[in-house]
């Protein structure tokens, strides 16, 4: 093999490796629940930017937060239930540990329940063909969500002592 060609091939593989590894860091896996594809992410700023970029290509976007939560903290265990608004039929049930969830719901009218630390918020969601629908769930900050926010036990106790 020609040495120049070898180095060009090696450089091309190195560049390709950088792009594929960067994509792997910001591209959460697509999962399936009750036949509905969904993707959860947004834990890092790069992943959050990726989720916001691809959200218009998905039928439904769900955002989860705690009012006046600290930067970088997000609900770590939200149970999501999607039902047909008129029949009550279960469409999708899953859990997410991320601030964003995208789902490929069929066009229709839905009721969405999001439960964090035993507190359930409910919102209607209407998905139109070719348009992306969005629902935001923001839990009040006056409830102790330390365990639901994924804080280690020592941080929970410290936040209680300091009043944060």
């Amino acid at each position: 093999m020609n040495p120049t060609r070898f180095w060009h091939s090696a450089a091309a593989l190195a560049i390709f490796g950088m792009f594929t590894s960067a994509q792997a860091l910001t591209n959460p896996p697509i999962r399936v629940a009750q036949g509905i594809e969904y993707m959860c992410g947004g834990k890092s700023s790069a992943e959050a930017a990726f989720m916001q970029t691809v959200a218009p290509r998905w039928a439904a976007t769900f955002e989860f937060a705690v009012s006046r939560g600290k930067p970088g903290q997000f609900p770590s265990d939200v149970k999501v239930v999607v039902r047909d608004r008129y029949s009550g039929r279960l469409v999708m049930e899953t859990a997410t540990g991320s601030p964003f969830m995208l789902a490929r719901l069929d066009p229709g009218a839905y009721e969405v329940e999001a439960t964090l630390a035993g507190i359930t918020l409910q919102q209607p969601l209407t998905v139109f063909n070719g348009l992306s629908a969005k629902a935001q769930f923001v839990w009040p900050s006056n409830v102790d969500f330390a365990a639901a926010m994924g804080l280690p036990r020592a941080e929970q106790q410290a936040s209680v002592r300091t009043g944060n």
Side-chain angles (χ1 to χ4, degrees):
M1 177 181 248
N2 179 340
T4 304
R5 177 180 263 176
F6 170 78
W7 288 112
H8 286 184
S9 297
L13 284 173
I15 291 170
F16 177 74
M18 287 188 312
F19 285 121
T20 56
S21 63
Q23 181 183 16
L25 292 175
T26 60
N27 198 358
I30 295 175
R31 299 188 172 124
V32 178
Q34 291 79 39
I36 307 293
E37 289 184 330
Y38 71 99
M39 180 169 50
C40 302
K43 292 180 181 180
S44 69
S45 58
E47 195 174 80
F50 172 79
M51 296 294 283
Q52 291 172 341
T53 299
V54 301
R57 298 182 200 135
W58 290 72
T61 299
F62 305 100
E63 291 185 26
F64 310 104
V66 174
S67 175
R68 294 183 284 173
K70 294 180 182 177
Q73 287 184 339
F74 50 86
S76 63
D77 189 24
V78 178
K79 180 182 175 188
V80 180
V81 176
V82 180
R83 297 184 183 281
D84 179 277
R85 185 180 303 160
Y86 302 111
S87 70
R89 177 184 61 85
L90 178 69
V91 174
M92 176 183 184
E93 183 173 11
T94 190
T96 179
S98 302
F100 295 98
M101 185 175 102
L102 309 176
R104 295 197 194 281
L105 296 173
D106 289 333
Y110 302 97
E111 285 294 331
V112 182
E113 295 177 356
T115 303
L116 174 65
I119 298 176
T120 300
L121 303 178
Q122 185 174 346
Q123 285 192 36
L125 181 76
T126 303
V127 176
F128 293 99
N129 194 20
L131 298 175
S132 182
K134 184 176 184 179
Q136 293 179 316
F137 297 89
V138 182
W139 284 267
S141 62
N142 62 345
V143 178
D144 183 15
F145 286 112
M149 297 296 282
L151 295 175
R153 194 75 174 140
E155 288 185 37
Q156 290 179 29
Q157 292 170 350
S159 68
V160 170
R161 283 192 298 264
T162 61
N164 290 337

